[in-house]
Amino acid sequence: MPASKSAPGLESLSVIEPVCAVFRRTLKGAGLKYTLERAQILDSVMRQPGLFHADELIRGLKDEGFRVSKATVYRTLKLMQDSGIIQRVLFDDDDAGRYQVVFGTSAVDLLIRTDNGEAMQIEIPELKAICDRLCESRGLELKGHRLQIFAGPK
Amino acid sequence: MPASKSAPGLESLSVIEPVCAVFRRTLKGAGLKYTLERAQILDSVMRQPGLFHADELIRGLKDEGFRVSKATVYRTLKLMQDSGIIQRVLFDDDDAGRYQVVFGTSAVDLLIRTDNGEAMQIEIPELKAICDRLCESRGLELKGHRLQIFAGPK
DNA sequence: CTTGGTGCAAACATTTTGCAGCACA
DNA sequence: TGTGCTGCAAAATGTTTGCACCAAG
């Protein structure tokens, strides 16, 4: 049940203040605007269960009564990648436009079941240190990582 | 300088015996055939520098004088994924059909430079144990993993 | 021989782009 | 008010599929 049937204003969107701030800052930094459409898309993305399809997102937005074109959604998803809010995800079987929210969570790694394709976000605390050390030894700075573990029944 | 201008026979393809055996076994197991085209594609893939584009591969094959259609290449790449010989790879900026050879190497993880996009294969010995432990605790068996580290200059 | 494989071109699905009008800063 | 933004539909990818003929086992 969409609590906000009529398109919410820029500020009345749900509890996503920090992401929102990050997004606005990134946009402003690039001389871009924080539009109503972008706010709606951000809101919808943050309400996704971690992993989502571009297609689902678009359908979801339409179902909620927003009239955004897929062109705008794709354009915005790209901006959100640049802002470090979301990340694309690739599965072996299916290439489709899958994404995951990575902002504000340390559970960005994925455990994918090889038997049923189910994917869940997991957390591996020690991984960061390993990556850090590896970058350090090459004189680089760690910017992020992405891990997929494939597992099935014994 | 292609040492083999004329299409090589099924057996005279370069030094890729173990992969070849694996591929043939997988195919046979599925009631599929080990054709000349598949042999040529396998050979070409194994001569790639770890990471490659589907497109490059196709162009490379044509340049060497092989007349394989992209349809067959894509069909074969999929079979090679199933055989555990190659794996798809996704980069943020570009979705294109990138793959990497994973057979016979423990350096399947990637360090990607955020400044120039350069990707190199790396090895993280302790990662397997971590993944193993994680699967173990869920009663699953580790089948494999995939890691991308993003790093840039300090 | 029989079953699967191949090339081709058309079909597909997803993402990008050009353009005319609209809206935020 | 002027850039940038939007929707639309068309274009551009990247990948898959139907079909008639060919070839591996």
Side-chain angles (χ1 to χ4, degrees), chain B residues 82-130:
Chain B
D82 297 341
S83 306
I85 295 170
I86 61 172
Q87 205 172 60
R88 302 197 64 169
V89 180
L90 174 73
F91 291 89
D92 269 323
D93 43 335
D94 150 82
D95 358 343
R98 310 267 271 263
Y99 296 82
Q100 70 176 325
V101 177
V102 295
F103 179 89
T105 173
S106 49
V108 298
D109 300 319
L110 298 175
L111 176 64
I112 298 163
R113 294 195 48 147
T114 51
D115 53 338
N116 59 16
E118 191 192 340
M120 61 199 91
Q121 293 189 324
I122 58 176
E123 199 169 337
I124 303 183
E126 60 264 59
L127 188 52
K128 178 160 182 334
I130 294 174

Side-chain angles (χ1 to χ4, degrees), chain A residues 34-150:
Chain A
Y34 184 67
T35 65
L36 178 58
E37 286 81 359
R38 287 174 183 170
Q40 292 172 338
I41 294 168
L42 174 64
D43 185 62
S44 185
V45 162
M46 295 312 290
R47 281 184 282 106
Q48 295 297 315
L51 288 160
F52 62 95
H53 269 73
D55 214 42
E56 285 169 7
L57 186 76
I58 294 171
R59 201 162 15 255
L61 282 162
K62 304 228 178 205
D63 289 350
E64 290 178 84
F66 299 135
R67 285 188 309 90
V68 283
S69 65
K70 64 190 157 109
T72 296
V73 171
Y74 279 115
R75 286 188 274 236
T76 303
L77 287 177
K78 191 161 286 182
L79 291 170
M80 292 175 65
Q81 283 183 70
D82 298 341
S83 306
I85 295 169
I86 60 172
Q87 206 173 60
R88 302 197 64 169
V89 179
L90 174 73
F91 293 90
D92 269 324
D93 43 335
D94 152 82
D95 359 343
R98 310 268 271 264
Y99 296 83
Q100 70 174 326
V101 177
V102 295
F103 180 89
T105 172
S106 49
V108 299
D109 301 316
L110 298 176
L111 176 63
I112 299 162
R113 294 196 48 147
T114 51
D115 53 337
N116 60 15
E118 189 193 340
M120 61 198 92
Q121 294 189 321
I122 58 176
E123 199 168 339
I124 303 184
E126 59 265 58
L127 187 54
K128 180 160 181 332
I130 293 174
C131 296
D132 259 331
R133 181 155 34 81
L134 213 135
C135 293
E136 200 65 41
S137 72
R138 292 163 197 259
L140 297 171
E141 185 184 5
L142 179 65
K143 303 284 189 187
H145 78 270
R146 188 190 290 164
L147 174 68
Q148 294 185 356
I149 297 178
F150 303 97

Side-chain angles (χ1 to χ4, degrees), chain B residues 31-33 35 37-38 67-69 71-72 75 95:
Chain B
L32 304 177
K33 295 169 185 175
T35 64
E37 287 81 0
R38 287 173 183 171
R67 285 186 311 89
V68 282
S69 66
T72 296
R75 286 188 273 233
D95 358 343

Side-chain angles (χ1 to χ4, degrees), chain B residues 38-51:
Chain B
R38 287 173 183 171
Q40 292 172 339
I41 294 168
L42 175 62
D43 186 62
S44 185
V45 162
M46 295 312 289
R47 282 185 281 105
Q48 296 297 315
L51 288 160

Side-chain angles (χ1 to χ4, degrees), chain B:
Chain B
M1 57 329 239
S4 50
K5 232 196 336 243
S6 53
L10 285 182
E11 296 74 19
S12 67
L13 291 166
S14 60
V15 256
I16 51 171
E17 294 158 357
V19 219
C20 178
V22 167
F23 195 32
R24 299 185 72 145
R25 191 175 335 121
T26 308
L27 290 174
K28 176 162 285 184
L32 304 177
K33 295 169 185 175
Y34 184 67
T35 64
L36 178 58
E37 287 81 0
R38 287 173 183 171
Q40 292 172 339
I41 294 168
L42 175 62
D43 186 62
S44 185
V45 162
M46 295 312 289
R47 282 185 281 105
Q48 296 297 315
L51 288 160
F52 64 95
H53 269 75
D55 216 41
E56 284 169 9
L57 187 77
I58 294 170
R59 199 158 21 252
L61 282 162
K62 304 227 179 208
D63 289 350
E64 289 179 85
F66 299 135
R67 285 186 311 89
V68 282
S69 66
K70 62 186 160 111
T72 296
V73 171
Y74 279 115
R75 286 188 273 233
T76 303
L77 287 176
K78 191 161 286 182
L79 291 171
M80 292 175 65
Q81 283 183 70
D82 297 341
S83 306
I85 295 170
I86 61 172
Q87 205 172 60
R88 302 197 64 169
V89 180
L90 174 73
F91 291 89
D92 269 323
D93 43 335
D94 150 82
D95 358 343
R98 310 267 271 263
Y99 296 82
Q100 70 176 325
V101 177
V102 295
F103 179 89
T105 173
S106 49
V108 298
D109 300 319
L110 298 175
L111 176 64
I112 298 163
R113 294 195 48 147
T114 51
D115 53 338
N116 59 16
E118 191 192 340
M120 61 199 91
Q121 293 189 324
I122 58 176
E123 199 169 337
I124 303 183
E126 60 264 59
L127 188 52
K128 178 160 182 334
I130 294 174
C131 295
D132 260 331
R133 182 156 33 83
L134 213 135
C135 293
E136 200 65 39
S137 72
R138 292 163 197 259
L140 297 172
E141 184 184 5
L142 178 64
K143 303 284 188 187
H145 77 272
R146 189 189 287 165
L147 173 69
Q148 294 185 355
I149 298 179
F150 302 97
K154 292 189 189 182

